[in-house]
Amino acid sequence: MEIKFKTLVAPEIKRGCLMGNMFNALGSLWKGMKITIYYLTHPSTVVTQQYPENRETLKMMDRFRAQLTMAHDENGHHTCTACGICDQNCPNGSINVVDRKNPITGKKELDRYIWRMDSCTFCNICVQVCPFGTLEMKGNFEASVYDRRLFVYTLNKYAGPDQKNLLKIENLDDRKKQMESRDIFGGPVPLSGQSIAGLEAGVFDQLRKTEEAATNG
Amino acid sequence: MNWEIKTVAMFASEALREGYLGAAGYIILGVVAIAGFLAVLGMVLIYAERKVAGHFQCRLGPMRVGWHGVLQTVADTIKLFLKEDIVPFQADKVLHILAPLFTLLGTLLVLAVVPFSPGMQVADVNIGVVYVTAVGGFGVLGILLGGWSSNNKWSLVGAMRAGAQIISYEVSATLALLVVVLFSGSLKLSDIILSQEQGWWIWRAPVVGLVGFVIFFIASTAEINRTPFDLPEGESELTAGFHTEYSGMRFAFFFLAEFINMFIISAIAATLYLGGWMPFHIGGLDGFNAVMDLLPPGAWFAGKTSFLIFVLMWFRWTFPRLRVDQLMRLEWKILLPIGFVNLIAAAFMVMFGWYYGN
């Protein structure tokens, strides 16, 4: 195979006369000054957010990565097939994909999608490797909680077949039967049936509601 | 229009005929006025700088303390008052404590001759320009002492840089000042202002005035160690340069002196080239001049000075810092030759009367 080389000549630095250099320098300084005065005279260029005050109207950037979520369509179906590629690719083991056999069909399906926020670096690899486009990074950055265990999320809202297999079932009631509800903090890993001091019963429902409001809105 | 120059020093000398008490009262008045002005101006300038810097960089600046953060500098001042004042182990204690005072003293003494308006000046020295240059050089003594006595390598490097820089740029600044002294024929600041009744020197002395003004402005920016000439501080290389080891009030003194120096060079540049408190006059157009006189002289001075301060801030938040060799090259190879040519040209123009309004 013949390789063609292209000759590159380094551009020569032009050194003008003293006066020429001086006026060039003044010109380039003026260019910079024009940019800064534009910013000063146009308050719309300010990017600072007055955060706690504008909490109601704050809109995060689309690409901001603060929380891993699983996309659910309008019927509440997700597209996760429990293939575990994200689990294998996660650099710090923050993802656990727990699968199970469907009690009726015997096919492999998702039981729990466990994501540990406390060890996550938000590298976005899981989102990129997912062949089904199930995962999504959302901009909900208000993640502080009073108990470390609340950093362990169950991302799927039901255990059962993915969207494709669910849509094959014609009867809506049969579909519902296949979908076993999963709580966002209710998994075996985080709380293991314990209660957290200061949190009353039913708090998970509330947390889930705020979570949903934050991720949808 | 007849401008009557009144200064606190004049009142004091008049009162001296009656007795010592009245004169002492006037002197105390002058000192208190300068000290109060210094403190208030420092706070206002720091707030303005932070706000302007914020908007230059697409930020908002201080927003939390008071309406749009107007009380931020007050809070900062209280904090600096209450902070512990640390003198490093094995530092030269006496010099370490004296250094910020020297720097502030240089600033304070120049402030005494700044003409704010015909009736507002503490002292009108008959060698005003020489006094300003001489006393202004006091600041570098404080910086050198502070850097040396801290017993810290960053401080020493910063202080030595400051010494080299200020001594170099003082030459150009003085050469540029001499241009105006040639044209006005006086060293007294009030006389220089009165000589601009027919027009400001920046345009009455064609080209020479403008070149002199630009050289003075650049050289003075370097003299007060402001960006793009802030090598003595150079955060990225020297932590904080000569004031690395200072904290609390002593750090505040350095900081205050830096900001007041910004006001002083703006005020001096305005006085010499832009007519100080003199309204914008064009020789011969009496109607136009009368309209311009409607604004009080103090407002003209404040307007010109604050415009120049704004330009200094604009420089600071736009330009990158120079390297040490670039700094020296700019002074000795560019500014100084131009300054000399400018001075000689000015001398010829004064000799043959080649300027407007002659």
Side-chain angles (χ1 to χ4, degrees):
Chain A
M1 200 175 110
E2 196 186 340
I3 301 168
K4 278 184 185 171
F5 288 104
K6 202 176 165 188
T7 325
L8 286 175
V9 182
E12 196 181 329
I13 298 168
K14 280 181 187 165
R15 293 184 194 281
C17 58
L18 174 74
M19 290 311 259
N21 278 347
M22 224 169 67
F23 284 113
N24 275 344
L26 288 178
S28 69
L29 289 178
W30 173 243
K31 232 183 239 175
M33 286 170 74
K34 255 191 343 202
I35 291 174
T36 43
I37 199 75
Y38 176 81
Y39 290 148
L40 182 80
T41 50
H42 291 74
S44 58
T45 53
V46 169
V47 293
T48 311
Q49 299 284 341
Q50 295 285 303
Y51 164 54
E53 287 86 0
N54 73 349
R55 196 165 169 230
E56 302 302 317
T57 55
L58 180 73
K59 204 174 173 300
M60 281 312 282
M61 293 75 82
D62 292 337
R63 300 195 297 171
F64 193 82
R65 308 204 292 254
Q67 195 179 33
L68 187 64
T69 53
M70 186 174 277
H72 287 72
D73 65 5
E74 66 274 10
N75 301 322
H77 303 164
H78 60 67
T79 53
C80 183
T81 59
C83 64
I85 294 177
C86 46
D87 191 343
Q88 285 164 18
N89 278 287
C90 184
N92 31 32
S94 299
I95 294 172
N96 265 332
V97 179
V98 184
D99 53 17
R100 69 171 188 190
K101 286 242 162 72
N102 188 300
I104 302 166
T105 57
K107 276 184 183 170
K108 184 172 138 183
E109 62 179 25
L110 182 65
D111 183 8
R112 254 177 211 290
Y113 192 98
I114 296 161
W115 171 59
R116 297 191 62 106
M117 187 195 226
D118 48 1
S119 66
C120 181
T121 59
F122 305 96
C123 64
N124 213 28
I125 288 179
C126 47
V127 178
Q128 284 173 0
V129 297
C130 181
F132 307 103
T134 306
L135 296 170
E136 243 182 319
M137 276 286 183
K138 286 275 174 74
N140 172 32
F141 59 93
E142 292 173 334
S144 12
V145 284
Y146 285 102
D147 195 289
R148 211 170 5 163
R149 286 171 292 188
L150 292 178
F151 279 133
V152 185
Y153 292 84
T154 301
L155 294 187
N156 56 326
K157 289 176 187 168
Y158 70 91
D162 66 332
Q163 186 188 34
K164 203 172 127 198
N165 284 320
L166 273 175
L167 288 178
K168 282 180 191 161
I169 305 165
E170 299 287 324
N171 193 340
L172 279 177
D173 287 337
D174 284 350
R175 259 190 226 174
K176 281 266 159 63
K177 271 176 202 162
Q178 298 272 316
M179 293 157 70
E180 195 186 325
S181 177
R182 286 283 177 262
D183 228 325
I184 194 158
F185 295 116
V189 183
L191 292 171
S192 307
Q194 303 170 39
S195 61
I196 296 174
L199 291 185
E200 288 165 21
V203 73
F204 295 132
D205 293 336
Q206 266 187 357
L207 278 169
R208 180 166 200 158
K209 263 176 209 162
T210 54
E211 204 74 29
E212 271 170 3
T215 47
N216 296 336
Chain B
M1 201 165 172
N2 267 334
W3 305 102
E4 203 184 342
I5 312 284
K6 287 184 198 149
T7 65
V8 177
M10 277 181 199
F11 287 125
S13 63
E14 265 171 40
L16 199 59
R17 284 182 208 143
E18 313 291 325
Y20 289 109
L21 213 62
Y26 276 116
I27 290 170
I28 290 170
L29 176 74
V31 172
V32 169
I34 288 183
F37 181 72
L38 192 90
V40 173
L41 185 72
M43 284 194 204
V44 171
L45 280 182
I46 291 170
Y47 174 70
E49 169 108 45
R50 290 183 62 181
K51 214 61 189 165
V52 167
H55 281 278
F56 270 139
Q57 301 177 332
C58 303
R59 295 183 288 115
L60 286 169
M63 284 295 276
R64 293 299 154 113
V65 191
W67 181 82
H68 278 242
V70 282
L71 297 176
Q72 181 68 53
T73 30
V74 180
D76 287 347
T77 314
I78 294 169
K79 184 204 77 173
L80 282 170
F81 263 119
L82 299 177
K83 265 185 114 172
E84 189 188 355
D85 179 26
I86 300 164
V87 179
F89 178 62
Q90 285 190 336
D92 191 328
K93 283 213 173 67
V94 178
L95 290 187
H96 192 82
I97 288 165
L98 274 181
L101 299 178
F102 271 124
T103 311
L104 201 63
L105 187 69
T107 312
L108 217 104
L109 288 176
V110 180
L111 217 51
V113 297
V114 172
F116 293 94
S117 82
M120 240 177 89
Q121 191 176 356
V122 174
D124 194 10
V125 192
N126 57 358
I127 50 157
V129 176
V130 179
Y131 175 84
V132 166
T133 330
V135 173
F138 228 100
V140 71
L141 181 64
I143 290 175
L144 276 175
L145 282 183
W148 192 301
S149 64
S150 294
N151 202 5
N152 173 327
K153 54 182 178 292
W154 303 130
S155 302
L156 187 60
V157 171
M160 287 299 150
R161 279 186 184 183
Q165 178 179 330
I166 291 171
I167 289 166
S168 304
Y169 276 84
E170 203 127 82
V171 183
S172 281
T174 313
L175 282 181
L177 287 182
L178 285 180
V179 172
V180 174
V181 172
L182 275 180
F183 276 107
S184 61
S186 172
L187 288 166
K188 198 173 181 176
L189 287 175
S190 59
D191 281 355
I192 289 175
I193 294 175
L194 288 175
S195 75
Q196 303 183 60
E197 196 161 7
Q198 306 303 318
W200 305 343
W201 286 121
I202 192 168
W203 59 269
R204 250 178 79 196
V207 186
V208 172
L210 186 64
V211 172
F213 174 74
V214 170
I215 290 179
F216 178 74
F217 207 53
I218 295 173
S220 319
T221 313
E223 241 184 280
I224 60 168
N225 304 328
R226 261 183 90 79
T227 324
F229 306 105
D230 64 340
L231 294 147
E233 284 175 44
E235 296 98 350
S236 48
E237 311 143 30
L238 300 177
T239 29
F242 58 89
H243 55 62
T244 305
E245 297 289 357
Y246 282 91
S247 54
M249 262 335 265
R250 294 189 204 293
F251 166 73
F253 280 162
F254 274 127
F255 207 60
L256 191 65
E258 203 181 305
F259 273 86
I260 305 297
N261 276 335
M262 185 166 80
F263 168 79
I264 283 173
I265 67 156
S266 301
I268 297 295
T271 303
L272 294 175
Y273 288 96
L274 304 179
W277 43 256
M278 185 65 77
F280 183 68
H281 282 175
I282 297 174
L285 299 176
D286 288 333
F288 176 77
N289 294 350
V291 172
M292 286 295 161
D293 286 342
L294 289 178
L295 264 182
W300 279 97
F301 175 81
K304 291 167 192 175
T305 310
S306 41
F307 172 73
L308 290 181
I309 290 176
F310 172 74
V311 172
L312 278 176
M313 291 180 182
W314 191 1
F315 283 171
R316 174 164 182 184
W317 298 105
T318 307
F319 299 156
R321 187 186 303 138
L322 270 75
R323 234 165 33 212
V324 181
D325 63 317
Q326 288 170 337
L327 183 87
M328 288 296 152
R329 186 169 150 255
L330 177 67
E331 161 60 16
W332 296 105
K333 283 185 158 178
I334 297 168
L335 288 188
L336 193 62
I338 294 176
F340 268 122
V341 170
N342 197 40
L343 184 63
I344 293 164
F348 275 106
M349 284 167 81
V350 172
M351 198 160 81
F352 298 115
W354 292 338
Y355 55 92
Y356 297 119
N358 177 39

